[in-house]
Amino acid sequence: MAQVLEFKLPDLGEGLTEAEIVRWLVQVGDVVAVDQPVVEVETAKAMVEVPCPYGGVVTARFGEEGTELPVGAPLITVAVGAPASDAEAGAGGSGNVLVGYGTSEAPARRRRVRSTRPEPAVTVAVDGTAPMVPVAPVAAVTPVAPASSAAPAEGPGGPVPVISPLVRRLARENGLDLRELTGSGPEGLILRADVENALRVAVPREEAAQTAQQPSAPSALAGGRRVPLKGVRGAVADKLSRSRREIPDATCWVDADATELMRARTAMNAAGGPKISLLALLARICTAALARFPELNSTVDQAAREVVQFDQVHLGFAAQTARGLVVPVVRDAQARDAEGLTAEFARLTEAGRQGRLTPAELTGGTFTLNNYGVFGVDGSTPIINHPEAAMLGVGRIVPRPWVHEGELAVRQVVQLSLTFDHRVCDGGTAGGFLRHVADCVEQPAVLLRTL
């Protein structure tokens, strides 16, 4: 006889509570090895291949491609050879689940999933060479709703199962009664998407009355389409909306003569060795300015009513990919030189284009550099990447008339903008930071003072 182990969607880290099945990598009846990837999922952070900690025969898959599953929901069941003892059963899986992040120990609960029919659910023939083969129908395996990941939502009618306390809080803050919702998760588990959908369609009675008095929408609008806010697009929408709600931001900007910076980059690249990117030079300027104005390398702890200033600069940079806008993070940017920054920017950009950025590479930033000049625009008032406190925006560098050394000349001019959280500093600090950045752009030799 074989033991059937249920592998659930693991905790993907970084507060992620659900993932969408993009592509199954195994079929029912396939033999899988320990730590073999079995499914590719898309979270709000990245595309991830999920490895299975068990080796054996796949007896069931839960969810079709395109289905969104909550953390803790069953993914697959695997029939493995019956262990001689519970100790061996505990050692049957690798416990790695996700390579590099996620759970680090094997699941605490392992139990045999039995068929509802009188005959055994799965039997496996095992010898020295032959692979394990299921001989009973796999449809008898019944998925089990996750219990440990759901948090009850208290109410007069009894507890309502929700995927996490954050979902309950979202409903409470918006006056939504969870008892009126039908959850789309296993056994009616209420997901965050269920609450958000209910909030989108809920219209106050007074607004409904006003709408009833207004003429109907033009018939041409009937031919439109609805695009779900999910995956990366949904994560971006949630984060930007939260930033606007919570952060009292302000923006200041200045034009700078980048002619000398461009000449310095040309001289660096002419000297041989790896080419230095303009983004790397701007990042080096950012880290130097943040050393002078650490108030902007911070975040606000609203619960403690404190501003937390960071010693390290984890520099995020906005990158447009086929999956949408992502902000990879360069760790310890203040400790990297221009060559190191160039290499790391290139690596993270390529990983973003391939959809292979991990959640760890997309979170934990303390300051963001946004080079929107690549889109051919001069200026912008960017939205702060919550929960950071500031973002530097860089427009395109173009030839413009400029007064240089008392004479009118054509120079390479760029517009720099700083959007900052007014809770962490006043305008004097923000202006001092931006002015220092502009001085370094106009006279790169200023950086020598801090090297």
Side-chain angles (χ1 to χ4, degrees), residues 237-247 302 386:
D238 291 341
K239 198 161 193 176
L240 297 182
S241 298
R242 184 177 182 183
S243 179
R244 279 298 193 211
R245 286 195 307 268
E246 296 183 6
I247 299 178
Q302 295 195 95
H386 185 281

Side-chain angles (χ1 to χ4, degrees), residues 138-155:
V138 299
V141 179
T142 303
V144 180
S148 60
S149 62
E154 300 298 335

Side-chain angles (χ1 to χ4, degrees), residues 236-237 239-245 247 249 251 318 325 327 368 370 372 380-386 388-392 419-420:
V236 170
K239 198 161 193 176
L240 297 182
S241 298
R242 184 177 182 183
S243 179
R244 279 298 193 211
R245 286 195 307 268
I247 299 178
D249 60 351
T251 302
L325 177 68
V327 185
T368 295
N370 187 355
Y372 45 74
S380 174
T381 56
I383 300 176
I384 295 175
N385 187 24
H386 185 281
E388 298 169 13
M391 176 185 293
L392 178 68
T419 299
F420 63 99

Side-chain angles (χ1 to χ4, degrees), residues 101-151:
Y101 54 88
T103 59
S104 57
E105 297 179 356
R109 292 177 53 199
R110 292 187 179 176
R111 56 186 177 79
R112 189 186 303 272
V113 180
R114 297 186 180 277
S115 169
T116 55
R117 300 180 182 180
E119 66 269 15
V122 179
T123 57
V124 178
V126 179
D127 58 26
T129 58
M132 297 180 288
V133 179
V135 297
V138 299
V141 179
T142 303
V144 180
S148 60
S149 62

